[in-house]
Amino acid sequence: MALTKKQLEEFDTQLTDWKAELEVGQSENVQAMTEQEQTSFPDPTDQASMETDRNFDLRIKDRERRLIKKIDQALQRIKDGEFGECDSCGGDISVKRLQARPVTTLCIECKTAQEQEERTRSDD
């Protein structure tokens, strides 16, 4: 069952809003990290704690950057008329799955199979 025009518009709005929210957070993180770099700590423990926090923030920022890229790809799939199609089997991705994970490119069956295959490989 293909998505309706209204559903596609709703996903487009949701993804666009999500991306904007992430981008605001990204710029705030950069500003906060720049301010932190200018702070000097006489106590090595405080310096180490700040560096640990900074590394954590960098990992989050990297995850958000990758998510923004996935959002851009999903928005492009909407424009191309491919949103909601499974990359693996070509079938429809359920609306419930898209609502839970709008950047997904696999239907639940193909994603489950992929995860099982990954688990099998990691057990070797």
Side-chain angles (χ1 to χ4, degrees), residues 19-59:
K19 178 183 174 185
E21 187 180 307
L22 288 168
E23 287 175 336
V24 167
Q26 289 269 300
S27 63
E28 288 173 356
N29 283 347
V30 169
Q31 186 176 1
M33 288 175 69
T34 304
E35 290 169 6
Q36 276 182 349
E37 285 178 7
Q38 296 169 354
T39 307
S40 86
F41 294 97
D43 182 5
T45 306
D46 291 340
Q47 179 71 29
S49 177
M50 190 271 306
E51 288 176 11
T52 300
D53 291 347
R54 182 172 171 227
N55 286 338
F56 181 74
D57 289 342
L58 284 171
R59 282 197 312 271

Side-chain angles (χ1 to χ4, degrees), residues 6-19:
K6 182 178 185 226
Q7 287 173 316
L8 288 170
E9 288 170 358
E10 289 170 356
F11 280 115
D12 187 274
T13 301
Q14 177 187 0
L15 288 162
T16 302
D17 291 349
W18 192 12
K19 178 183 174 185

